[in-house]
Amino acid sequence: MTPAQTNEAWTRRSLASVWHPCTQMKLHEADGAAQPLIPIARAEGVWLHDVEGHRILDGISSWWVNLFGHGHPAIRAALVDQLGRLDHVMLAGFTHAPVVELSERLGALTGLGHAFYASDGASATEIALKMSAHYWRNAGQPGKCRFVGVAGGYHGETVGALAVTDIALFREAYAPLLRLAATVPSPDARQAAPGEDAAAVAERAAAALGDWLAEHHARTAAFIVEPLVQCAAGMAMHHPRYLQRARELCDRYRVHLVVDEIAVGFGRTGTLFAHQQAGIRPDFICLSKGLTGGTLPLSAVLTTDAVYQAFFDDQVARGFLHSHSYTGNPLACRAALATLALLEQTDALRTNAVTAELLAAQFAPLSSHPRVRHARRQGMIFAWDVASSLPDFARRYARHALAQGVLLRPIGPTLYAMPPYVISADEGAHLARGALAALEATLAEETAGAPRATAGADGV
Ligand SMILES: *Cc1c(COP(=O)(O)O)cnc(C)c1O
C-alpha cells in the first residue's frame, strides 16, 4: 500500500473537499477525531472493505437501503445490460420499457397506480404532499391544504418534507423557512402505561388523531404516517390497529392517508409493505431506499385512480406539473426490477422470517443485558434502548462497533440493527458479538468517568 492509499490520506482529502451529510464536520477533525471517517474501497454481500483492507459488517444496510447485500450479481447484471441499451432519456414526452415494467409491477404489488418518480425519499414526500393538496384544489376545496403528521415522524429534509418531519435536531435551524404541519401523539408502544398493551396505546393515539381531525379536517389535505416503525425516531414501533383507525378516520373526515414506506417497504417489517399488516389501502404510498436494492437513487409515489382522475383534464394547469431531470431513470428502474425479482425468487418474506428468528436468538444476550430496555423487533428491524448517562452514547458506541468490525450507529440512546436480508448465520454471530462487545466497551467508558461531550445530541 502506498501512502496515498491509506485511510488517513483519503480521510484528509475528503475532509478538504467533501461536505458530509448529517454530520458536524468538526467531529471528524484529524487526530483522535470523535467520529472517524472510513474510506470504503469496495463492498460485497454484507461486508464493506476500507482502503486498507479491514472489513466492516454493514449492520444498518447503509442507512436502510440495502436489501440483498452489496454488489448482488443479478442487480449488477441488469445494470450492465441496461447501460448497453439506454442510459437515460427524459420522461416528459418519452417512455421506455424499464419505467413501464416497473410501474406495472409496483401497481400490482401496491394496488395503487400511475407511479410518479423522483430520485430520493424527501422528493417522494414532496410529491405526495403536493398531489394531495392539488387534488383538493382541483376538487373545489382549495382550503384543504394543511398536513398532519405523527410526533417524532421523519419524512425527509427538503423544506416541504421537513415541515412534516418532527425531529427537533433536524428542524430547529430551519423552522422560520417552514410551513409547519401539525403533529398528533405517536402510537409508540413504549408509551404503554402499566397494564396497557400496544393495541391500547394505538387506540389512545388514534383517539387523539380523531379529536384533531374533528376540529381541523376542513383545512387538512392529508395525514402522513410511517407504518409500523418510525425508524428515525429511534425505531419506535406500533400496533397495526393504529393504521386501521387512521384509515377509518381519514375516510370519515375526507382526508388523504399517505403511508411513507420509504424505510419499511420491500419486506423489511415482515410483509412486503408494512401497511399491509393492517389490511388497509392508503391513498398514497411513498417508496425509495430499498427500491433499487441500495444501488441507485430512485423514489416513487403511487396513488388511487380517484386522485389520478382529478388531474386528468383539458386544462394544463390542472395537471401535476412537477418534474425532476432524472425522473424515471432507466438504470435505476432496471435496478428496481431486478430487486423486485429477487424479492420473489428468494422468497424473501419467508426466508427473512427464518433469518430474523435466528438473529433474535443471536442477539439474546444483548436483549437481556441489564442496561437494555425495550428490546423489540419488527421483521428484520431489531432495537434496544440503552440506559446510559453518556450524552454522546451513540457516537462512542459507533466507534467501538467499528473497532469490532461492525457498522452500527445508534440513534440517541437507541441501538438498532437492520442488516441486509442475505446475512448468514456466521455473519449474524459476528454482528451480535460485535454489538454486545461495543456495548460493554461503551459502558466501561461511562464507568471510568468519560469526559462529558461538548456537542449537543447525537444524530442518526
Ligand atoms: C430516509 C427516509 C426519508 C427520506 O429519504 P431520503 O432519500 O433520505 O431523502 C423519508 N421518509 C422515511 C421514513 C425515511 O426513512
Side-chain angles (χ1 to χ4, degrees), residues 147-166:
F147 304 102
V148 56
V150 177
Y154 181 89
H155 302 287
E157 296 178 51
T158 51
V159 172
L162 203 51
V164 290
T165 285
D166 182 40

mmCIF file with all atom_site columns, all heavy atoms in Angstrom, residues 147-166:
data_model
loop_
_atom_site.group_PDB
_atom_site.id
_atom_site.type_symbol
_atom_site.label_atom_id
_atom_site.label_alt_id
_atom_site.label_comp_id
_atom_site.label_asym_id
_atom_site.label_entity_id
_atom_site.label_seq_id
_atom_site.pdbx_PDB_ins_code
_atom_site.Cartn_x
_atom_site.Cartn_y
_atom_site.Cartn_z
_atom_site.occupancy
_atom_site.B_iso_or_equiv
_atom_site.pdbx_formal_charge
_atom_site.auth_seq_id
_atom_site.auth_comp_id
_atom_site.auth_asym_id
_atom_site.auth_atom_id
_atom_site.pdbx_PDB_model_num
ATOM 1   N N   . PHE A 1 147 ? -51.314 19.852 6.526  1.00 0.00 ? 147 PHE A N   1
ATOM 2   C CA  . PHE A 1 147 ? -50.983 18.446 6.755  1.00 0.00 ? 147 PHE A CA  1
ATOM 3   C C   . PHE A 1 147 ? -50.858 18.158 8.241  1.00 0.00 ? 147 PHE A C   1
ATOM 4   O O   . PHE A 1 147 ? -50.584 19.051 9.033  1.00 0.00 ? 147 PHE A O   1
ATOM 5   C CB  . PHE A 1 147 ? -49.680 18.083 6.041  1.00 0.00 ? 147 PHE A CB  1
ATOM 6   C CG  . PHE A 1 147 ? -49.732 18.386 4.585  1.00 0.00 ? 147 PHE A CG  1
ATOM 7   C CD1 . PHE A 1 147 ? -49.111 19.511 4.061  1.00 0.00 ? 147 PHE A CD1 1
ATOM 8   C CD2 . PHE A 1 147 ? -50.459 17.566 3.724  1.00 0.00 ? 147 PHE A CD2 1
ATOM 9   C CE1 . PHE A 1 147 ? -49.190 19.809 2.706  1.00 0.00 ? 147 PHE A CE1 1
ATOM 10  C CE2 . PHE A 1 147 ? -50.541 17.851 2.371  1.00 0.00 ? 147 PHE A CE2 1
ATOM 11  C CZ  . PHE A 1 147 ? -49.914 18.972 1.866  1.00 0.00 ? 147 PHE A CZ  1
ATOM 12  N N   . VAL A 1 148 ? -51.043 16.902 8.569  1.00 0.00 ? 148 VAL A N   1
ATOM 13  C CA  . VAL A 1 148 ? -50.844 16.477 9.957  1.00 0.00 ? 148 VAL A CA  1
ATOM 14  C C   . VAL A 1 148 ? -49.978 15.221 9.936  1.00 0.00 ? 148 VAL A C   1
ATOM 15  O O   . VAL A 1 148 ? -50.136 14.353 9.061  1.00 0.00 ? 148 VAL A O   1
ATOM 16  C CB  . VAL A 1 148 ? -52.201 16.267 10.692 1.00 0.00 ? 148 VAL A CB  1
ATOM 17  C CG1 . VAL A 1 148 ? -53.102 15.288 9.966  1.00 0.00 ? 148 VAL A CG1 1
ATOM 18  C CG2 . VAL A 1 148 ? -51.965 15.821 12.140 1.00 0.00 ? 148 VAL A CG2 1
ATOM 19  N N   . GLY A 1 149 ? -49.015 15.159 10.854 1.00 0.00 ? 149 GLY A N   1
ATOM 20  C CA  . GLY A 1 149 ? -48.121 14.016 10.951 1.00 0.00 ? 149 GLY A CA  1
ATOM 21  C C   . GLY A 1 149 ? -48.058 13.522 12.386 1.00 0.00 ? 149 GLY A C   1
ATOM 22  O O   . GLY A 1 149 ? -48.765 14.029 13.263 1.00 0.00 ? 149 GLY A O   1
ATOM 23  N N   . VAL A 1 150 ? -47.196 12.547 12.604 1.00 0.00 ? 150 VAL A N   1
ATOM 24  C CA  . VAL A 1 150 ? -47.096 11.902 13.916 1.00 0.00 ? 150 VAL A CA  1
ATOM 25  C C   . VAL A 1 150 ? -45.872 12.450 14.660 1.00 0.00 ? 150 VAL A C   1
ATOM 26  O O   . VAL A 1 150 ? -44.823 12.687 14.042 1.00 0.00 ? 150 VAL A O   1
ATOM 27  C CB  . VAL A 1 150 ? -46.979 10.375 13.747 1.00 0.00 ? 150 VAL A CB  1
ATOM 28  C CG1 . VAL A 1 150 ? -46.811 9.683  15.096 1.00 0.00 ? 150 VAL A CG1 1
ATOM 29  C CG2 . VAL A 1 150 ? -48.194 9.837  13.015 1.00 0.00 ? 150 VAL A CG2 1
ATOM 30  N N   . ALA A 1 151 ? -45.994 12.641 15.959 1.00 0.00 ? 151 ALA A N   1
ATOM 31  C CA  . ALA A 1 151 ? -44.861 13.112 16.771 1.00 0.00 ? 151 ALA A CA  1
ATOM 32  C C   . ALA A 1 151 ? -43.652 12.211 16.534 1.00 0.00 ? 151 ALA A C   1
ATOM 33  O O   . ALA A 1 151 ? -43.770 10.985 16.521 1.00 0.00 ? 151 ALA A O   1
ATOM 34  C CB  . ALA A 1 151 ? -45.241 13.124 18.249 1.00 0.00 ? 151 ALA A CB  1
ATOM 35  N N   . GLY A 1 152 ? -42.507 12.829 16.308 1.00 0.00 ? 152 GLY A N   1
ATOM 36  C CA  . GLY A 1 152 ? -41.286 12.063 16.063 1.00 0.00 ? 152 GLY A CA  1
ATOM 37  C C   . GLY A 1 152 ? -41.177 11.556 14.636 1.00 0.00 ? 152 GLY A C   1
ATOM 38  O O   . GLY A 1 152 ? -40.226 10.853 14.297 1.00 0.00 ? 152 GLY A O   1
ATOM 39  N N   . GLY A 1 153 ? -42.121 11.923 13.773 1.00 0.00 ? 153 GLY A N   1
ATOM 40  C CA  . GLY A 1 153 ? -42.123 11.430 12.389 1.00 0.00 ? 153 GLY A CA  1
ATOM 41  C C   . GLY A 1 153 ? -40.940 11.962 11.598 1.00 0.00 ? 153 GLY A C   1
ATOM 42  O O   . GLY A 1 153 ? -40.417 13.038 11.878 1.00 0.00 ? 153 GLY A O   1
ATOM 43  N N   . TYR A 1 154 ? -40.520 11.187 10.600 1.00 0.00 ? 154 TYR A N   1
ATOM 44  C CA  . TYR A 1 154 ? -39.418 11.596 9.722  1.00 0.00 ? 154 TYR A CA  1
ATOM 45  C C   . TYR A 1 154 ? -39.819 11.312 8.283  1.00 0.00 ? 154 TYR A C   1
ATOM 46  O O   . TYR A 1 154 ? -40.128 10.172 7.932  1.00 0.00 ? 154 TYR A O   1
ATOM 47  C CB  . TYR A 1 154 ? -38.133 10.829 10.052 1.00 0.00 ? 154 TYR A CB  1
ATOM 48  C CG  . TYR A 1 154 ? -36.967 11.255 9.182  1.00 0.00 ? 154 TYR A CG  1
ATOM 49  C CD1 . TYR A 1 154 ? -36.133 12.304 9.568  1.00 0.00 ? 154 TYR A CD1 1
ATOM 50  C CD2 . TYR A 1 154 ? -36.725 10.639 7.966  1.00 0.00 ? 154 TYR A CD2 1
ATOM 51  C CE1 . TYR A 1 154 ? -35.086 12.721 8.759  1.00 0.00 ? 154 TYR A CE1 1
ATOM 52  C CE2 . TYR A 1 154 ? -35.675 11.050 7.145  1.00 0.00 ? 154 TYR A CE2 1
ATOM 53  C CZ  . TYR A 1 154 ? -34.866 12.091 7.551  1.00 0.00 ? 154 TYR A CZ  1
ATOM 54  O OH  . TYR A 1 154 ? -33.841 12.499 6.744  1.00 0.00 ? 154 TYR A OH  1
ATOM 55  N N   . HIS A 1 155 ? -39.796 12.363 7.447  1.00 0.00 ? 155 HIS A N   1
ATOM 56  C CA  . HIS A 1 155 ? -40.199 12.174 6.054  1.00 0.00 ? 155 HIS A CA  1
ATOM 57  C C   . HIS A 1 155 ? -39.226 12.815 5.080  1.00 0.00 ? 155 HIS A C   1
ATOM 58  O O   . HIS A 1 155 ? -39.560 13.028 3.921  1.00 0.00 ? 155 HIS A O   1
ATOM 59  C CB  . HIS A 1 155 ? -41.616 12.714 5.858  1.00 0.00 ? 155 HIS A CB  1
ATOM 60  C CG  . HIS A 1 155 ? -42.616 12.061 6.768  1.00 0.00 ? 155 HIS A CG  1
ATOM 61  N ND1 . HIS A 1 155 ? -43.045 10.768 6.585  1.00 0.00 ? 155 HIS A ND1 1
ATOM 62  C CD2 . HIS A 1 155 ? -43.216 12.494 7.909  1.00 0.00 ? 155 HIS A CD2 1
ATOM 63  C CE1 . HIS A 1 155 ? -43.895 10.437 7.554  1.00 0.00 ? 155 HIS A CE1 1
ATOM 64  N NE2 . HIS A 1 155 ? -44.008 11.458 8.373  1.00 0.00 ? 155 HIS A NE2 1
ATOM 65  N N   . GLY A 1 156 ? -38.022 13.137 5.554  1.00 0.00 ? 156 GLY A N   1
ATOM 66  C CA  . GLY A 1 156 ? -37.021 13.731 4.676  1.00 0.00 ? 156 GLY A CA  1
ATOM 67  C C   . GLY A 1 156 ? -36.732 15.166 5.073  1.00 0.00 ? 156 GLY A C   1
ATOM 68  O O   . GLY A 1 156 ? -37.376 15.726 5.959  1.00 0.00 ? 156 GLY A O   1
ATOM 69  N N   . GLU A 1 157 ? -35.746 15.771 4.405  1.00 0.00 ? 157 GLU A N   1
ATOM 70  C CA  . GLU A 1 157 ? -35.214 17.034 4.912  1.00 0.00 ? 157 GLU A CA  1
ATOM 71  C C   . GLU A 1 157 ? -35.192 18.194 3.926  1.00 0.00 ? 157 GLU A C   1
ATOM 72  O O   . GLU A 1 157 ? -34.574 19.213 4.193  1.00 0.00 ? 157 GLU A O   1
ATOM 73  C CB  . GLU A 1 157 ? -33.832 16.772 5.492  1.00 0.00 ? 157 GLU A CB  1
ATOM 74  C CG  . GLU A 1 157 ? -33.950 15.832 6.679  1.00 0.00 ? 157 GLU A CG  1
ATOM 75  C CD  . GLU A 1 157 ? -32.632 15.449 7.306  1.00 0.00 ? 157 GLU A CD  1
ATOM 76  O OE1 . GLU A 1 157 ? -31.861 16.360 7.605  1.00 0.00 ? 157 GLU A OE1 1
ATOM 77  O OE2 . GLU A 1 157 ? -32.402 14.241 7.468  1.00 0.00 ? 157 GLU A OE2 1
ATOM 78  N N   . THR A 1 158 ? -35.856 18.053 2.775  1.00 0.00 ? 158 THR A N   1
ATOM 79  C CA  . THR A 1 158 ? -36.058 19.243 1.954  1.00 0.00 ? 158 THR A CA  1
ATOM 80  C C   . THR A 1 158 ? -37.117 20.088 2.664  1.00 0.00 ? 158 THR A C   1
ATOM 81  O O   . THR A 1 158 ? -37.800 19.602 3.577  1.00 0.00 ? 158 THR A O   1
ATOM 82  C CB  . THR A 1 158 ? -36.516 18.848 0.540  1.00 0.00 ? 158 THR A CB  1
ATOM 83  O OG1 . THR A 1 158 ? -37.628 17.963 0.657  1.00 0.00 ? 158 THR A OG1 1
ATOM 84  C CG2 . THR A 1 158 ? -35.390 18.148 -0.211 1.00 0.00 ? 158 THR A CG2 1
ATOM 85  N N   . VAL A 1 159 ? -37.270 21.332 2.236  1.00 0.00 ? 159 VAL A N   1
ATOM 86  C CA  . VAL A 1 159 ? -38.088 22.258 3.030  1.00 0.00 ? 159 VAL A CA  1
ATOM 87  C C   . VAL A 1 159 ? -39.537 21.778 3.208  1.00 0.00 ? 159 VAL A C   1
ATOM 88  O O   . VAL A 1 159 ? -40.088 21.861 4.299  1.00 0.00 ? 159 VAL A O   1
ATOM 89  C CB  . VAL A 1 159 ? -38.020 23.674 2.423  1.00 0.00 ? 159 VAL A CB  1
ATOM 90  C CG1 . VAL A 1 159 ? -39.016 24.607 3.103  1.00 0.00 ? 159 VAL A CG1 1
ATOM 91  C CG2 . VAL A 1 159 ? -36.609 24.241 2.597  1.00 0.00 ? 159 VAL A CG2 1
ATOM 92  N N   . GLY A 1 160 ? -40.130 21.236 2.152  1.00 0.00 ? 160 GLY A N   1
ATOM 93  C CA  . GLY A 1 160 ? -41.500 20.733 2.280  1.00 0.00 ? 160 GLY A CA  1
ATOM 94  C C   . GLY A 1 160 ? -41.576 19.497 3.157  1.00 0.00 ? 160 GLY A C   1
ATOM 95  O O   . GLY A 1 160 ? -42.461 19.380 4.008  1.00 0.00 ? 160 GLY A O   1
ATOM 96  N N   . ALA A 1 161 ? -40.648 18.580 2.964  1.00 0.00 ? 161 ALA A N   1
ATOM 97  C CA  . ALA A 1 161 ? -40.653 17.332 3.738  1.00 0.00 ? 161 ALA A CA  1
ATOM 98  C C   . ALA A 1 161 ? -40.328 17.608 5.209  1.00 0.00 ? 161 ALA A C   1
ATOM 99  O O   . ALA A 1 161 ? -40.875 16.976 6.114  1.00 0.00 ? 161 ALA A O   1
ATOM 100 C CB  . ALA A 1 161 ? -39.654 16.338 3.147  1.00 0.00 ? 161 ALA A CB  1
ATOM 101 N N   . LEU A 1 162 ? -39.459 18.573 5.430  1.00 0.00 ? 162 LEU A N   1
ATOM 102 C CA  . LEU A 1 162 ? -39.061 18.909 6.804  1.00 0.00 ? 162 LEU A CA  1
ATOM 103 C C   . LEU A 1 162 ? -40.250 19.467 7.591  1.00 0.00 ? 162 LEU A C   1
ATOM 104 O O   . LEU A 1 162 ? -40.298 19.356 8.815  1.00 0.00 ? 162 LEU A O   1
ATOM 105 C CB  . LEU A 1 162 ? -37.909 19.928 6.764  1.00 0.00 ? 162 LEU A CB  1
ATOM 106 C CG  . LEU A 1 162 ? -36.991 20.040 7.965  1.00 0.00 ? 162 LEU A CG  1
ATOM 107 C CD1 . LEU A 1 162 ? -36.436 18.696 8.403  1.00 0.00 ? 162 LEU A CD1 1
ATOM 108 C CD2 . LEU A 1 162 ? -35.845 21.008 7.656  1.00 0.00 ? 162 LEU A CD2 1
ATOM 109 N N   . ALA A 1 163 ? -41.208 20.044 6.879  1.00 0.00 ? 163 ALA A N   1
ATOM 110 C CA  . ALA A 1 163 ? -42.387 20.607 7.549  1.00 0.00 ? 163 ALA A CA  1
ATOM 111 C C   . ALA A 1 163 ? -43.257 19.512 8.166  1.00 0.00 ? 163 ALA A C   1
ATOM 112 O O   . ALA A 1 163 ? -44.014 19.771 9.100  1.00 0.00 ? 163 ALA A O   1
ATOM 113 C CB  . ALA A 1 163 ? -43.206 21.429 6.560  1.00 0.00 ? 163 ALA A CB  1
ATOM 114 N N   . VAL A 1 164 ? -43.157 18.284 7.656  1.00 0.00 ? 164 VAL A N   1
ATOM 115 C CA  . VAL A 1 164 ? -43.915 17.182 8.256  1.00 0.00 ? 164 VAL A CA  1
ATOM 116 C C   . VAL A 1 164 ? -42.980 16.240 9.029  1.00 0.00 ? 164 VAL A C   1
ATOM 117 O O   . VAL A 1 164 ? -43.378 15.159 9.446  1.00 0.00 ? 164 VAL A O   1
ATOM 118 C CB  . VAL A 1 164 ? -44.725 16.378 7.200  1.00 0.00 ? 164 VAL A CB  1
ATOM 119 C CG1 . VAL A 1 164 ? -45.879 17.209 6.668  1.00 0.00 ? 164 VAL A CG1 1
ATOM 120 C CG2 . VAL A 1 164 ? -43.837 15.896 6.055  1.00 0.00 ? 164 VAL A CG2 1
ATOM 121 N N   . THR A 1 165 ? -41.724 16.648 9.192  1.00 0.00 ? 165 THR A N   1
ATOM 122 C CA  . THR A 1 165 ? -40.754 15.870 9.974  1.00 0.00 ? 165 THR A CA  1
ATOM 123 C C   . THR A 1 165 ? -40.673 16.481 11.367 1.00 0.00 ? 165 THR A C   1
ATOM 124 O O   . THR A 1 165 ? -40.488 17.684 11.501 1.00 0.00 ? 165 THR A O   1
ATOM 125 C CB  . THR A 1 165 ? -39.376 15.907 9.274  1.00 0.00 ? 165 THR A CB  1
ATOM 126 O OG1 . THR A 1 165 ? -39.411 15.049 8.130  1.00 0.00 ? 165 THR A OG1 1
ATOM 127 C CG2 . THR A 1 165 ? -38.257 15.436 10.205 1.00 0.00 ? 165 THR A CG2 1
ATOM 128 N N   . ASP A 1 166 ? -40.842 15.662 12.374 1.00 0.00 ? 166 ASP A N   1
ATOM 129 C CA  . ASP A 1 166 ? -40.894 16.193 13.745 1.00 0.00 ? 166 ASP A CA  1
ATOM 130 C C   . ASP A 1 166 ? -39.673 15.740 14.549 1.00 0.00 ? 166 ASP A C   1
ATOM 131 O O   . ASP A 1 166 ? -39.798 15.059 15.550 1.00 0.00 ? 166 ASP A O   1
ATOM 132 C CB  . ASP A 1 166 ? -42.201 15.746 14.423 1.00 0.00 ? 166 ASP A CB  1
ATOM 133 C CG  . ASP A 1 166 ? -42.325 16.313 15.828 1.00 0.00 ? 166 ASP A CG  1
ATOM 134 O OD1 . ASP A 1 166 ? -41.968 17.487 16.031 1.00 0.00 ? 166 ASP A OD1 1
ATOM 135 O OD2 . ASP A 1 166 ? -42.769 15.568 16.737 1.00 0.00 ? 166 ASP A OD2 1
#
